[in-house]
Structures are given as structure tokens and as C-alpha cells.
């Protein structure tokens, strides 16, 4: 208990665990395995952000270019 006292106190103050970071790490691994490989790190990061992030892609397209 003494070895992990700082982590216990931090949890009792914030009620946050590392579950969110573990979940993001899992999704990043899934994206990496699903892709056959990325040539650039930026493309890999973009794919992770598109998978995890709350991005509404159709809303980003100007109305005059939309088909529906």
C-alpha cells in the first residue's frame, strides 16, 4: 500500500483511472492491425483521430458540394 500511496490519493481526489487511456491504446492497436501499413505517421494519427474522435465529416463539406 505504501508503494502505491500516491496513486491511491490521486484516485481518491479525481476518481479517474487509466481505463480511458487503455481504451484509446486498444483502438490504436486495432487501427494499426486493420491497416496494412501507413507510409507516414501523420496518416496513422489521422486515422486514429477519425476512429476515436467525434468528427462529423459531412458537416465539414460545404453545402454547395453536397449531393444530398
Amino acid at each position: 500500500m505504501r508503494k502505491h500511496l500516491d496513486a491511491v490519493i490521486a484516485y481518491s481526489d479525481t476518481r479517474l483511472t487509466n481505463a480511458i487511456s487503455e481504451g484509446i491504446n486498444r483502438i490504436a492497436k486495432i487501427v494499426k492491425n486493420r491497416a496494412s501499413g501507413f507510409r507516414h505517421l501523420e496518416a496513422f494519427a489521422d486515422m486514429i483521430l477519425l476512429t476515436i474522435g467525434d468528427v462529423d465529416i459531412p458537416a465539414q463539406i460545404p453545402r454547395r458540394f453536397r449531393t444530398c
Side-chain angles (χ1 to χ4, degrees):
M1 184 74 169
R2 289 182 181 147
K3 182 178 177 183
H4 300 288
L5 185 61
D6 291 337
V8 171
I9 291 172
Y11 173 77
S12 66
D13 289 342
T14 63
R15 299 286 186 211
L16 295 175
T17 65
N18 65 341
I20 293 173
S21 63
E22 291 294 331
I24 291 172
N25 188 33
R26 180 179 171 272
I27 291 172
K29 286 182 180 183
I30 290 170
V31 168
K32 184 179 80 172
N33 290 336
R34 189 172 49 190
S36 60
F38 293 98
R39 292 181 184 247
H40 302 287
L41 183 61
E42 292 83 15
F44 180 55
D46 290 343
M47 187 56 119
I48 292 171
L49 291 174
L50 284 172
T51 304
I52 296 173
D54 187 21
V55 178
D56 185 13
I57 293 176
Q60 303 301 319
I61 301 171
R63 188 167 296 281
R64 67 177 186 260
F65 296 121
R66 296 183 195 172
T67 58
C68 51

